[in-house]
Amino acid sequence: KVAVYGQGLIGLLVTAILSSSATTASLSSATFGTITVFDSLSDRLAAANRIGASQALFPSQASESGPFDVSIEVSGNSQALQSAIDNTSSGGRIIVGSWYGNADIILKLGIDFHRSHKTIKTSQVSEIPAELSALWSKERRFALTWELIRKLKPSRLISRSTTLDEAQQAYESLDAGKEIAVSFRYSTS
């Protein structure tokens, strides 16, 4: 059982990768039984259902639908990270894909957490762990990325296309959760 916390563009792409039914030679042969996603916006939950989530739920439903073997937090919300920690099985793994910048966040890591043998792992995109660098060259990572782009067609998640003159409004709409992904049209004149 896998949970994905946050269904903005990154969360939707994570969900699409996990729910992808075809296995290619370069992808792991592991399959995921249930993919449950959480977001506070119904449009994002509907998009997650369309791309293959088993369940798309509001955050308040997390404790009723867990525990999960793996929880992936990509919401950028510390409450979602706490929910991921709280609703991951003993011995399970929490992957933090969000970047909190310099913000201090408060987490409850008391006795229940310490006795649970859960692992918290961070995800970072500009570098890979040293132990994997011999296997995953830059060329191999790029090849896999392009393979996933062709397979998943992330452009289908674009909810608005606009010009650069309207960039401020587009970013405000993204920030307010009114859009999932915005593309910009460039003038060639």
Side-chain angles (χ1 to χ4, degrees):
K1 291 176 70 173
V2 178
V4 181
Y5 290 81
Q7 290 298 287
L9 182 58
I10 301 300
L12 286 166
L13 291 171
V14 168
T15 300
I17 290 169
L18 293 173
S19 64
S20 179
S21 59
T23 303
T24 63
S26 61
L27 296 175
S28 169
S29 60
T31 57
F32 302 97
T34 304
I35 301 160
T36 303
V37 303
F38 299 99
D39 202 282
S40 58
L41 300 174
S42 55
D43 288 350
R44 291 178 179 182
L45 294 174
N49 275 326
R50 287 192 301 273
I51 62 171
S54 306
Q55 298 181 88
L57 306 172
F58 290 106
S60 60
Q61 298 172 286
S63 61
E64 300 145 24
S65 54
F68 302 98
D69 303 317
V70 176
S71 293
I72 303 168
E73 191 280 309
V74 289
S75 71
N77 182 311
S78 62
Q79 291 175 334
L81 178 54
Q82 185 67 60
S83 183
I85 292 167
D86 294 345
N87 294 297
T88 298
S89 299
S90 289
R93 179 178 289 186
I94 300 105
I95 300 170
V96 183
S98 293
W99 183 62
Y100 290 91
N102 293 327
D104 292 332
I105 62 169
I106 297 172
L107 298 173
K108 296 175 187 168
L109 303 176
I111 194 165
D112 291 338
F113 172 77
H114 284 281
R115 289 184 174 171
S116 70
H117 300 283
K118 297 174 187 177
T119 301
I120 299 177
K121 185 111 173 132
T122 61
S123 173
Q124 211 280 342
V125 297
S126 62
E127 295 181 13
I128 60 171
E131 67 269 15
L132 296 176
S133 62
L135 294 173
W136 286 95
S137 67
K138 186 175 184 178
E139 294 77 19
R140 184 177 182 197
R141 293 191 318 258
F142 271 54
L144 177 59
T145 301
W146 282 111
E147 179 182 335
L148 288 169
I149 288 170
R150 285 188 292 276
K151 183 177 181 179
L152 301 175
K153 298 176 178 51
S155 60
R156 66 189 166 139
L157 297 173
I158 295 171
S159 55
R160 178 179 176 184
S161 182
T162 189
T163 64
L164 284 177
D165 294 338
E166 298 174 351
Q168 182 64 37
Q169 296 91 342
Y171 286 123
E172 288 172 2
S173 292
L174 283 167
D175 191 46
K178 296 176 182 173
E179 303 291 347
I180 291 173
V182 174
S183 69
F184 292 104
R185 296 185 306 274
Y186 296 89
S187 174
T188 56
S189 54

